[in-house]
Amino acid sequence: MTPAEVSDALVAAARDAVAAGGLDVAVPDEVLVLARGAGVFESPVALVLGIGPEAIAARVGGTVSGRGFVRVEVPAADVVEGILRDPGYGLARVPRFGWDDRPRTFENPGFSVRYAYARACWVGRWARELGVGEGALVEPADAETRLVGALAEVPGRAAQAEREGDARPLAFCLERVAGAYHDVHERCPAVPLGGEKPGAVHAGRAGLARAARVALGNGLKMIGETPRERI
């Protein structure tokens, strides 16, 4: 499930709640959705519309936070699946942004983002060569959970960058995604090591790597770069 899909569900729930209550409230086609972690989304939809958040939360199987936001929680695997179903994940009209090409070290955020994209591409090739398919994320480790949370932020930061005419919110988000992906790449290999046989864990990690590739690739394109599979 992506933030856009959460928005669609909240809009439908809000319209149903308005109709059931006989209220004269215009519900927009989309609402603000904030990523609060891996599979955790919140929206001020009820506060904006001036209606009770409980009515909306009940219709989406969610809860109400202390601030009156409607909270929706889904498994991290559902977030990854949503990204993989959406090749245009997070795309928005964002001003150009440029990082330095060198030095090619992790201290250079531009290199970190570009290299994370290239690494995710390599994982896809290696996985295919070793017969590792893609599957649902299984019992994600902490590093994988952090990556899913960072990936969920991308659409919101891209929309913010478009709204403010400033690419930096998206650029900083891509840097966080890249850092999280490098941790996953090092600690949670998607390809079998040594005498390991491909299993469900590897399939889930291969899917997560492709989700990172989608998000980073789209992010690079938005800021005016051509993603490179080799550096």
Short mmCIF file of all heavy atoms in Angstrom, two decimals, residues 17 23 26 36 52-53 68 73 77 80 96 102 116 127 136 138 141 143 154 186 194 209 214 217:
data_model
loop_
_atom_site.label_atom_id
_atom_site.label_comp_id
_atom_site.label_asym_id
_atom_site.label_seq_id
_atom_site.Cartn_x
_atom_site.Cartn_y
_atom_site.Cartn_z
N ALA A 17 -18.63 8.69 5.40
CA ALA A 17 -18.98 9.25 6.70
C ALA A 17 -19.82 10.51 6.55
O ALA A 17 -20.79 10.73 7.30
CB ALA A 17 -17.71 9.55 7.50
N LEU A 23 -24.02 15.37 6.26
CA LEU A 23 -23.26 16.62 6.43
C LEU A 23 -23.04 17.32 5.09
O LEU A 23 -22.91 16.67 4.05
CB LEU A 23 -21.90 16.32 7.08
CG LEU A 23 -21.96 15.59 8.42
CD1 LEU A 23 -20.55 15.24 8.88
CD2 LEU A 23 -22.65 16.45 9.47
N ALA A 26 -17.63 19.20 1.53
CA ALA A 26 -17.02 18.79 0.27
C ALA A 26 -15.71 18.06 0.56
O ALA A 26 -14.82 18.61 1.21
CB ALA A 26 -16.76 20.00 -0.61
N ARG A 36 4.87 7.79 8.76
CA ARG A 36 5.41 7.86 10.11
C ARG A 36 6.29 6.67 10.46
O ARG A 36 6.62 6.46 11.61
CB ARG A 36 4.27 7.94 11.12
CG ARG A 36 3.36 9.15 10.96
CD ARG A 36 4.13 10.45 11.12
NE ARG A 36 3.23 11.60 11.28
CZ ARG A 36 3.61 12.86 11.22
NH1 ARG A 36 4.88 13.14 10.98
NH2 ARG A 36 2.75 13.84 11.38
N GLY A 52 -15.67 14.22 12.74
CA GLY A 52 -15.07 13.35 13.75
C GLY A 52 -14.11 12.34 13.13
O GLY A 52 -14.50 11.62 12.21
N PRO A 53 -12.88 12.25 13.60
CA PRO A 53 -11.92 11.30 13.02
C PRO A 53 -12.30 9.84 13.26
O PRO A 53 -11.93 8.97 12.48
CB PRO A 53 -10.61 11.65 13.73
CG PRO A 53 -11.03 12.30 15.02
CD PRO A 53 -12.29 13.04 14.68
N GLY A 68 -5.64 13.89 16.82
CA GLY A 68 -6.85 13.86 16.01
C GLY A 68 -6.60 13.42 14.57
O GLY A 68 -7.48 13.51 13.72
N GLU A 73 -2.28 1.58 9.74
CA GLU A 73 -1.07 0.76 9.81
C GLU A 73 -1.24 -0.49 8.96
O GLU A 73 -2.28 -1.17 9.02
CB GLU A 73 -0.78 0.37 11.26
CG GLU A 73 -0.52 1.58 12.16
CD GLU A 73 -0.06 1.19 13.56
OE1 GLU A 73 0.67 0.18 13.68
OE2 GLU A 73 -0.44 1.89 14.51
N ALA A 77 5.51 -5.37 4.32
CA ALA A 77 5.46 -6.06 3.03
C ALA A 77 4.44 -5.44 2.09
O ALA A 77 4.64 -5.42 0.86
CB ALA A 77 5.14 -7.54 3.24
N VAL A 80 6.00 -2.38 0.36
CA VAL A 80 6.89 -2.80 -0.72
C VAL A 80 6.08 -3.24 -1.93
O VAL A 80 6.38 -2.86 -3.07
CB VAL A 80 7.82 -3.93 -0.25
CG1 VAL A 80 8.69 -4.44 -1.40
CG2 VAL A 80 8.70 -3.45 0.90
N ARG A 96 15.18 21.09 -10.71
CA ARG A 96 16.44 20.37 -10.82
C ARG A 96 17.28 20.57 -9.55
O ARG A 96 17.17 21.57 -8.86
CB ARG A 96 17.23 20.85 -12.05
CG ARG A 96 16.55 20.55 -13.37
CD ARG A 96 17.38 21.07 -14.53
NE ARG A 96 18.63 20.33 -14.64
CZ ARG A 96 18.78 19.22 -15.35
NH1 ARG A 96 17.74 18.70 -16.01
NH2 ARG A 96 19.96 18.61 -15.43
N ARG A 102 32.04 14.09 -7.51
CA ARG A 102 33.16 13.58 -6.72
C ARG A 102 33.29 14.39 -5.43
O ARG A 102 32.83 15.52 -5.37
CB ARG A 102 34.46 13.66 -7.54
CG ARG A 102 34.41 12.73 -8.76
CD ARG A 102 35.71 12.79 -9.55
NE ARG A 102 35.62 12.00 -10.75
CZ ARG A 102 35.84 10.68 -10.81
NH1 ARG A 102 36.18 10.03 -9.71
NH2 ARG A 102 35.73 10.03 -11.94
N ALA A 116 23.64 3.67 -4.40
CA ALA A 116 22.54 2.85 -3.88
C ALA A 116 21.67 2.36 -5.03
O ALA A 116 21.25 1.20 -5.07
CB ALA A 116 21.72 3.64 -2.88
N ALA A 127 20.24 -11.77 -8.55
CA ALA A 127 19.12 -12.61 -8.11
C ALA A 127 18.59 -13.43 -9.27
O ALA A 127 18.33 -14.64 -9.12
CB ALA A 127 18.01 -11.73 -7.52
N ALA A 136 7.07 -11.70 -0.94
CA ALA A 136 6.74 -10.77 0.14
C ALA A 136 7.88 -10.71 1.14
O ALA A 136 8.59 -11.70 1.37
CB ALA A 136 5.46 -11.21 0.83
N VAL A 138 9.66 -11.00 4.41
CA VAL A 138 9.40 -11.93 5.51
C VAL A 138 10.14 -11.49 6.77
O VAL A 138 11.36 -11.35 6.76
CB VAL A 138 9.85 -13.36 5.13
CG1 VAL A 138 9.60 -14.31 6.30
CG2 VAL A 138 9.12 -13.83 3.89
N ALA A 141 14.11 -7.40 9.18
CA ALA A 141 15.05 -6.98 10.22
C ALA A 141 14.91 -5.48 10.44
O ALA A 141 14.27 -4.78 9.65
CB ALA A 141 16.48 -7.33 9.79
N ALA A 143 17.00 -3.09 9.99
CA ALA A 143 17.51 -2.31 8.87
C ALA A 143 16.50 -2.27 7.73
O ALA A 143 16.31 -1.23 7.07
CB ALA A 143 18.84 -2.89 8.38
N VAL A 154 9.00 9.01 0.31
CA VAL A 154 9.36 9.62 -0.97
C VAL A 154 8.22 10.40 -1.63
O VAL A 154 8.42 11.57 -2.02
CB VAL A 154 9.93 8.55 -1.94
CG1 VAL A 154 10.12 9.14 -3.34
CG2 VAL A 154 11.25 8.02 -1.40
N GLU A 186 24.31 -4.42 3.02
CA GLU A 186 25.43 -5.01 3.75
C GLU A 186 24.98 -6.06 4.76
O GLU A 186 25.67 -7.07 4.97
CB GLU A 186 26.22 -3.91 4.47
CG GLU A 186 26.87 -2.89 3.56
CD GLU A 186 28.01 -3.46 2.75
OE1 GLU A 186 28.54 -4.52 3.13
OE2 GLU A 186 28.38 -2.85 1.72
N GLY A 194 27.47 -18.51 0.22
CA GLY A 194 28.05 -19.82 0.48
C GLY A 194 27.18 -20.93 -0.05
O GLY A 194 26.79 -20.96 -1.21
N ALA A 209 14.79 -4.74 -2.74
CA ALA A 209 15.83 -4.07 -3.54
C ALA A 209 15.22 -3.42 -4.78
O ALA A 209 15.59 -2.30 -5.15
CB ALA A 209 16.90 -5.08 -3.95
N VAL A 214 13.16 1.40 -7.76
CA VAL A 214 12.07 2.22 -8.31
C VAL A 214 12.08 3.61 -7.68
O VAL A 214 12.04 4.64 -8.38
CB VAL A 214 10.71 1.53 -8.07
CG1 VAL A 214 9.56 2.49 -8.39
CG2 VAL A 214 10.59 0.27 -8.92
N GLY A 217 15.38 5.53 -8.53
CA GLY A 217 15.41 5.87 -9.94
C GLY A 217 14.46 7.01 -10.27
O GLY A 217 14.83 7.97 -10.97
#
